């Protein structure tokens, strides 16, 4: 490989160049961020990854979201992203927001999981080595740890920011009550939380049960993951489970998760999207971004074409009250089915 990537001159006028403030902070993130949770492990060819990453920046997507255990195997996404930084992206490092996380199992023994100070510092130092960086922009505690005092975890995040290893601290998968407690604890230590990263989609609306209100009240931003419900809110499963799809091999989405009821909901939503001249995935992305408290939605991509299709959601006509009411009626049936 000898050709060096040069980003598009018009990348900040491109389709993905829509930026929203992260809560009350001075940081703006793209409305769509690129997640490296899947499709960036050791099983995905380097050139495929490269094409997606560089096209993302060409489209104005400046935020890349990782975690210590993204792969497979664990650490592979960060290791690969480090190679892409060295190969193409490092000259543009100051145009990027790079985030990573620690909180789930990463290595054997009692110090490779949870929320202890030892684990969080050790994990971030490993992440920085894998990526070839001296700091990340955002460092998340990936999940609450009931075995570790909250002041220890928040103290570690505050000190990580003070040490220069991260510019901002953040949390993921915390409940509304845990979020409020974490924010108060780290504030007492002279620091703050920039972001909360929860799961949010048309098929998983738990953030509406208090978390959005807490985040808004605290002045935090919200970056949501799985806005397409692991592919359920795309056209991929409208006619069954195709061979080789994620549901046939992923630990996060199984064929049993694709129930007749969910497929019926997806088909109804797809009909709404088609009448609007867009895909179901584009409608689903617009929907999670309809609330101004949602700073960004993280999308994955297995191809450049898929990434470009997702970005087109930002150029669609706004969701008016009539469309939102129609969507709510469909989702009410989904809620009734879970009752």
């Amino acid at each position: 490989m000898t050709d060096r990537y040069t980003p598009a001159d018009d990348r900040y006028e491109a389709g993905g160049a829509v930026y929203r403030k992260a809560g009350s902070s001075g940081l703006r993130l793209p409305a769509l961020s690129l997640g490296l949770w899947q499709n960036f492990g050791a099983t995905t060819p380097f050139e495929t990854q490269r094409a997606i990453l560089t096209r993302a920046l060409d489209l104005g997507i400046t935020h890349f979201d990782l975690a210590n255990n993204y792969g497979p195997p664990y650490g592979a996404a960060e290791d690969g992203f480090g190679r892409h930084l060295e190969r193409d992206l490092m000259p543009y490092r100051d145009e990027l927001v790079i985030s990573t996380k620690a909180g789930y199992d990463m290595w054997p023994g009692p110090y490779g999981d949870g929320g202890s100070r030892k684990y969080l510092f050790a994990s971030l130092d490993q992440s920085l080595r894998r990526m070839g960086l001296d700091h990340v922009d955002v460092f998340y505690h990936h999940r609450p740890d009931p075995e570790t005092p909250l002041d220890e975890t928040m103290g570690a995040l505050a000190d990580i920011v003070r040490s220069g290893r991260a510019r901002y601290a953040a949390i993921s998968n915390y409940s509304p009550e845990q979020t409020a407690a974490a924010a108060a604890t780290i504030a007492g230590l002279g620091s703050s939380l920039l972001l909360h990263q929860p799961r949010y989609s048309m098929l998983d609306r738990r953030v509406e049960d208090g978390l959005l209100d807490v985040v808004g009240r605290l002045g935090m931003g919200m970056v949501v993951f799985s806005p397409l419900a692991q592919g359920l809110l795309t056209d991929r499963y409208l006619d069954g489970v195709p061979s080789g799809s994620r549901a046939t091999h992923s630990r996060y989405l199984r064929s049993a998760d694709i129930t007749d009821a969910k497929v019926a909901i997806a088909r109804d939503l797809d009909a709404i999207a088609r009448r609007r001249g867009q895909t179901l995935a584009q409608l689903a992305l617009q929907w999670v971004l309809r609330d101004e408290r949602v700073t960004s939605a993280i999308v994955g991509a297995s191809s450049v074409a898929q990434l470009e299709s997702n970005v087109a959601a930002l150029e669609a006509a706004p969701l008016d009250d009539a469309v939102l009411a129609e969507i709510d009626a469909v989702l009410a049936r989904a809620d009734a089915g879970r009752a």
Side-chain angles (χ1 to χ4, degrees):
M1 295 182 296
T2 57
D3 56 316
R4 178 72 67 173
Y5 164 71
T6 301
D9 289 338
D10 65 348
R11 58 192 177 278
Y12 293 113
E13 289 79 47
V18 176
Y19 303 97
R20 299 163 71 136
K21 284 195 67 176
S24 59
S25 78
L27 183 69
R28 292 190 298 157
L29 295 177
L32 294 181
S33 299
L34 182 63
L36 279 67
W37 179 16
Q38 302 180 62
N39 304 314
F40 287 87
T43 57
T44 303
F46 182 85
E47 284 301 319
T48 300
Q49 297 179 23
R50 183 190 185 214
I52 295 168
L53 288 165
T54 54
R55 183 59 177 147
L57 184 54
D58 284 346
L59 290 169
I61 296 175
T62 55
H63 177 212
F64 299 106
D65 182 78
L66 300 101
N68 57 356
N69 61 356
Y70 288 176
Y74 287 176
E78 289 181 333
D79 181 69
F81 186 66
R83 293 169 60 205
H84 292 292
L85 282 167
E86 181 180 20
R87 171 71 177 79
D88 290 303
L89 299 175
M90 197 62 83
Y92 315 101
R93 170 67 181 95
D94 290 339
E95 296 185 39
L96 307 178
V97 173
I98 299 171
S99 60
T100 196
K101 314 175 193 73
Y104 288 105
D105 63 298
M106 183 60 191
W107 62 85
Y111 316 122
D113 195 355
S116 72
R117 182 180 182 89
K118 177 175 176 60
Y119 169 58
L120 294 180
F121 268 86
S123 180
L124 180 53
D125 285 344
Q126 290 181 21
S127 294
L128 293 175
R129 286 194 295 270
R130 281 190 289 268
M131 292 187 284
L133 295 172
D134 61 4
H135 75 278
V136 292
D137 297 288
V138 183
F139 182 59
Y140 289 88
H141 186 221
H142 209 162
R143 66 177 178 97
D145 176 18
E147 303 300 319
T148 302
L150 188 59
D151 58 355
E152 178 178 348
T153 300
M154 292 302 110
L157 290 182
D159 287 344
I160 280 169
V161 172
R162 292 190 187 100
S163 75
R165 290 173 172 87
R167 297 295 185 250
Y168 300 93
I171 55 175
S172 179
N173 296 308
Y174 277 55
S175 71
E177 297 77 17
Q178 291 166 333
T179 299
T185 300
I186 201 168
L189 299 169
S191 191
S192 63
L193 295 172
L194 175 74
L195 298 168
H196 188 296
Q197 187 177 132
R199 187 188 308 269
Y200 186 33
S201 74
M202 289 174 166
L203 298 179
D204 188 341
R205 303 177 66 173
R206 285 173 290 182
V207 302
E208 297 173 9
D209 296 329
L211 186 58
L212 273 167
D213 291 335
V214 169
V215 166
R217 174 171 56 81
L218 294 173
M220 296 170 61
M222 180 178 284
V223 175
V224 302
F225 71 93
S226 291
L228 303 182
Q230 293 291 308
L232 283 170
L233 292 171
T234 71
D235 60 7
R236 190 171 306 156
Y237 301 109
L238 295 180
D239 298 307
V241 181
S243 175
S245 64
R246 182 178 298 174
T248 65
H249 59 79
S250 173
R251 62 184 284 196
Y252 305 107
L253 178 68
R254 301 164 298 172
S255 295
D257 296 325
I258 305 173
T259 64
D260 290 344
K262 288 180 179 177
V263 170
I265 295 299
R267 286 174 178 162
D268 287 347
L269 294 170
D270 182 61
I272 296 172
R274 287 177 181 275
R275 289 200 302 272
R276 287 173 47 80
Q278 62 183 163
T279 67
L280 172 56
Q282 291 164 355
L283 178 69
L285 291 171
Q286 271 196 285
W287 186 87
V288 297
L289 291 169
R290 76 197 188 287
D291 193 309
E292 63 183 10
R293 293 169 294 184
V294 176
T295 305
S296 183
I298 297 172
V299 296
S302 58
S303 68
V304 168
Q306 185 182 51
L307 176 67
E308 291 173 341
S309 180
N310 286 336
V311 169
L314 302 176
E315 300 176 300
L319 300 175
D320 60 28
D321 290 344
V323 173
L324 289 172
E326 191 175 4
I327 292 171
D328 283 344
V330 173
L331 298 182
R333 296 204 303 276
D335 292 337
R338 286 192 292 267

